[in-house]
Amino acid sequence: MSDRDQSADRCLTVTNLHAHYGDSHVLHGIDFFVNDGEVVSLLGRNGAGKTTMLKSIMGLIGGRTGSILFKGTELVGREPEDTARLGIGYCPDDRGIFASLSVAENLLLPPVVKSGGMELEEIYNLFPNIKERLSASGNKLSGGEQQMLAIGRILRTGARLLLLDEPTEGLAPRIVKQIGRALRTLKTRGFTILLIEQNFKFASTISDWHYLVENGKVVDGISSDNALKDPIKLQRYLGI
Amino acid sequence: MFGIPLPILLGQLMLGLINGAFYATMSLGLALIFGVLNIINFAHGALYMMGGFFAWILLQYFGLGYWYALILVPIIVGIIGLVIERLLLRHLYNLDHVYGLLLTFALSLVIEGVFRQNFGVSGQPYDIPTALRGGFDLGFMFLPTYRAWVLAASVGICLFTWVVVEWTRLGSYLRAATENPALARAFGIRVPSLITMTYVGGVMLAAFAGVLAAPIYQVSSIMGSNIIPVVFAVVVIGGLGSIFGAVATGFLVGLLEGLTKLIYPPATNTAVFILMVVILLLRPQGLFGKRNY
Ligand SMILES: Nc1ncnc2c1ncn2[C@@H]1O[C@H](COP(=O)(O)OP(=O)(O)O)[C@@H](O)[C@H]1O
Ligand SMILES: [Mg+2]
């Protein structure tokens, strides 16, 4: 991990994180960090524990121990609503669009918790599809539109850390490109992003750093450049 | 229709609508509470009874009349609801529906017991406020002003609730919390407070209906037990899926009762339950319900 800036301001520091679903122990002492302004991806096979990592950060997993520091504030023990209100935006793996809400209501649902969030017009520029579907019901959207809405709605709240769970999963290449462009724009706008991706090629175009997750542990970290130079190592982890 | 003179038919339908107004207001509260709390509030009848009783107590012991009661009683009963939710219901949200049903059923027995102990079961008369006495001759029937007021007030309060739920920001929070509370919380929505508010709101609707009912049905410790079976039949028929469904079914059932009374009077009190059985057989999720309930 030589080429990671150790002196940068920390956004998120996770230490010895364990998580349980009832009796089943899923995360076994996770350690990783994200610097301010970085885009960091979590890579790993299905079932490795990536989604559980994001849920643990949000406080959506009851049984978690260890430490999760967000800009110096401990998240373990906090309720999800208090976590979100510190300025963390969450985009779940199933996109979590509310069917009983219109697109506009979904977009405006998350309360603004900090100043400096994006204006609606900027979000429409990023995802023009949303603007055309505002009055539609949340469950009438295509997969791509749902994904854009799921990302779009956490941009106006003033959250500076975005947790994105597989934003390109199951989407057509054209839509994946559009989401890639949007994420790069968000990066230049200074958002810190923790991204789960199955698709390393996609992740490598955005992320500064990749963590490899295996059996509920972070087993390695690698920069995009090094990962591209040493594809064998990645392939072994990802099983591709 | 069935050789019934039109004036009598319309008059009976009007009476049905007025009963329906109570069913609608009550089942609306139940549907809201079920949606957000995942609890079938069996105490709803007892809270309605308290609404009527507190109106009577305010008049009897404090000299505060109907209009004061209409404002004060829902607030008082709402505070009782707040205590119930904070103290008791809070612990049940992650459990099966049946626990909430049992707890609120027990609560209703306790509340009714307290009132029966202190006031007996006989009805206490409650006078119609002066401003609402008299009536209109509609040509085909005589409509007492108070009944017209009950109808207008219930429709008004149901409409108000509907506007809040469907058209406001608070309403979008409520719908989101109904659909996926965990995710709503992950967006920073204070779902635990919303839950308390919803229970208090539903309880206030019941208390409001109780005050409206006081001059019509008399005030008694069993007035809740009298109305609650029909209200639950309304909930089963309508399904717990939508607030519009709860209100519409409330009025529908009132009308059905009114019609049955004309066509076959002995069945007046059972028609609703026959309809309930038919609905359970043909469409178990209810007329307006969603399948997954
Ligand atoms: N709700 C749950 N209850 C029990 N086990 C779960 C639950 N969700 C996920 N798991 C288990 O936790 C492990 C990690 O899952 P997850 O975090 O979803 O992995 P990933 O996102 O990397 O595919 C898997 O073995 C999965 O079966
Ligand atoms: Mg996952």
Side-chain angles (χ1 to χ4, degrees):
Chain A
M1 307 199 185
S2 53
D3 49 355
R4 194 91 179 273
D5 184 358
Q6 297 289 342
S7 64
D9 283 334
R10 282 292 174 82
C11 180
L12 190 71
T13 312
V14 175
T15 319
N16 195 27
L17 175 67
H18 290 257
H20 304 256
Y21 291 104
D23 289 337
S24 123
H25 193 171
V26 172
L27 299 185
H28 303 269
I30 294 262
D31 296 289
F32 73 97
F33 67 89
V34 181
N35 287 329
D36 267 340
E38 265 186 332
V39 177
V40 169
S41 54
L42 302 174
L43 307 172
R45 298 180 209 207
N46 262 332
K50 306 179 297 297
T51 294
T52 308
M53 288 165 73
L54 295 197
K55 285 189 172 169
S56 301
I57 295 169
M58 287 316 300
L60 296 172
I61 304 275
R64 54 177 178 161
T65 61
S67 165
I68 304 169
L69 284 179
F70 171 66
K71 297 186 191 291
T73 306
E74 181 57 66
L75 301 186
V76 172
R78 281 180 101 83
E79 299 294 339
E81 57 270 29
D82 298 326
T83 304
R85 281 169 182 272
L86 292 173
I88 305 182
Y90 175 54
C91 174
D93 55 356
D94 64 359
R95 283 130 198 184
I97 302 303
F98 293 95
S100 54
L101 273 64
S102 70
V103 170
E105 285 176 325
N106 268 287
L107 183 62
L108 299 175
L109 184 74
V112 171
V113 295
K114 293 254 187 279
S115 58
M118 284 172 76
E119 299 293 329
L120 280 176
E121 276 310 317
E122 296 177 277
I123 297 173
Y124 297 147
N125 285 339
L126 222 47
F127 302 119
N129 306 45
I130 295 180
K131 191 172 184 180
E132 285 153 27
R133 305 299 310 271
L134 283 176
S135 59
S137 153
N139 56 4
K140 293 284 168 359
L141 297 183
S142 70
E145 289 168 334
Q146 284 188 22
Q147 190 61 65
M148 294 177 204
L149 179 55
I151 299 174
R153 71 178 163 188
I154 53 176
L155 301 178
R156 21 172 307 286
T157 65
R160 300 305 297 161
L161 171 63
L162 307 181
L163 310 179
L164 310 180
D165 197 337
E166 301 207 38
T168 64
E169 193 202 3
L171 300 179
R174 184 176 54 85
I175 312 280
V176 172
K177 268 195 196 135
Q178 194 182 347
I179 288 179
R181 272 198 304 276
L183 295 189
R184 277 187 293 278
T185 307
L186 295 179
K187 184 179 181 176
T188 58
R189 300 230 3 186
F191 281 95
T192 306
I193 300 176
L194 181 57
L195 172 76
I196 297 183
E197 256 307 327
Q198 294 279 347
N199 180 346
F200 170 72
K201 259 181 72 188
F202 178 84
S204 68
T205 62
I206 308 164
S207 301
D208 304 296
W209 190 263
H210 310 272
Y211 283 110
L212 291 144
V213 186
E214 214 172 73
N215 298 324
K217 278 196 162 126
V218 168
V219 292
D220 208 344
I222 188 168
S223 71
S224 271
D225 294 344
N226 286 341
L228 289 167
K229 274 182 230 153
D230 186 7
I232 309 292
K233 182 174 169 185
L234 263 179
Q235 280 168 18
R236 187 169 56 78
Y237 283 125
L238 299 176
I240 39 178
Chain B
M1 205 159 104
F2 303 102
I4 297 160
L6 190 65
I8 296 185
L9 177 70
L10 291 176
Q12 208 47 251
L13 287 181
M14 183 53 90
L15 284 182
L17 268 186
I18 285 155
N19 282 334
F22 288 104
Y23 303 153
T25 313
M26 296 285 283
S27 64
L28 170 62
L30 280 176
L32 280 173
I33 290 171
F34 181 77
V36 177
L37 282 79
N38 211 15
I39 273 179
I40 297 168
N41 186 37
F42 226 92
H44 223 63
L47 294 158
Y48 160 85
M49 178 271 289
M50 271 203 268
F53 242 107
F54 282 138
W56 180 80
I57 289 171
L58 281 183
L59 186 65
Q60 208 68 15
Y61 299 99
F62 301 92
L64 294 172
Y66 181 82
W67 300 107
Y68 286 103
L70 212 50
I71 304 292
L72 289 178
V73 169
I75 295 173
I76 297 168
V77 179
I79 291 170
I80 295 173
L82 180 97
V83 174
I84 293 175
E85 196 279 330
R86 281 283 153 103
L87 226 55
L88 301 171
L89 300 183
R90 183 124 295 197
H91 307 288
L92 303 179
Y93 297 140
N94 298 322
L95 304 177
D96 192 83
H97 294 167
V98 79
Y99 289 93
L101 199 144
L102 286 172
L103 180 79
T104 53
F105 181 59
L107 261 177
S108 75
L109 292 180
V110 170
I111 295 171
E112 280 193 10
V114 166
F115 279 84
R116 188 167 339 150
Q117 191 70 28
N118 290 294
F119 302 99
V121 289
S122 58
Q124 315 281 352
Y126 189 98
D127 284 341
I128 294 176
T130 15
L132 298 175
R133 291 195 188 137
F136 316 94
D137 191 355
L138 298 180
F140 59 88
M141 66 173 288
F142 179 76
L143 176 63
T145 309
Y146 190 74
R147 304 211 166 209
W149 155 249
V150 166
L151 194 56
S154 310
V155 170
I157 203 89
C158 289
L159 214 59
F160 172 77
T161 310
W162 180 76
V163 167
V164 168
V165 173
E166 293 297 329
W167 298 103
T168 66
R169 191 163 177 78
L170 174 66
S172 68
Y173 288 172
L174 271 178
R175 278 173 286 141
T178 302
E179 198 177 322
N180 188 343
L183 187 61
R185 295 181 75 182
F187 288 141
I189 296 170
R190 301 199 187 283
V191 174
S193 315
L194 268 185
I195 288 176
T196 307
M197 274 176 59
T198 305
Y199 192 74
V200 170
V203 160
M204 287 176 80
L205 283 172
F208 183 79
V211 180
L212 284 183
I216 295 190
Y217 301 125
Q218 296 204 327
V219 173
S220 84
S221 55
I222 53 170
M223 68 192 269
S225 317
N226 289 342
I227 193 177
I228 211 69
V230 181
V231 171
F232 274 93
V234 167
V235 164
V236 173
I237 293 167
L240 279 163
S242 80
I243 63 162
F244 173 79
V247 172
T249 312
F251 282 105
L252 206 81
V253 163
L255 286 176
L256 175 77
E257 277 186 349
L259 270 182
T260 319
K261 195 164 193 172
L262 280 181
I263 298 164
Y264 186 61
T268 308
N269 295 323
T270 39
V272 178
F273 299 100
I274 295 170
L275 177 64
M276 180 180 90
V277 171
V278 172
I279 294 284
L280 277 177
L281 290 174
L282 298 181
R283 198 179 150 83
Q285 75 271 34
L287 291 178
F288 301 88
K290 293 176 201 112
R291 206 162 271 280
N292 55 353
Y293 278 114

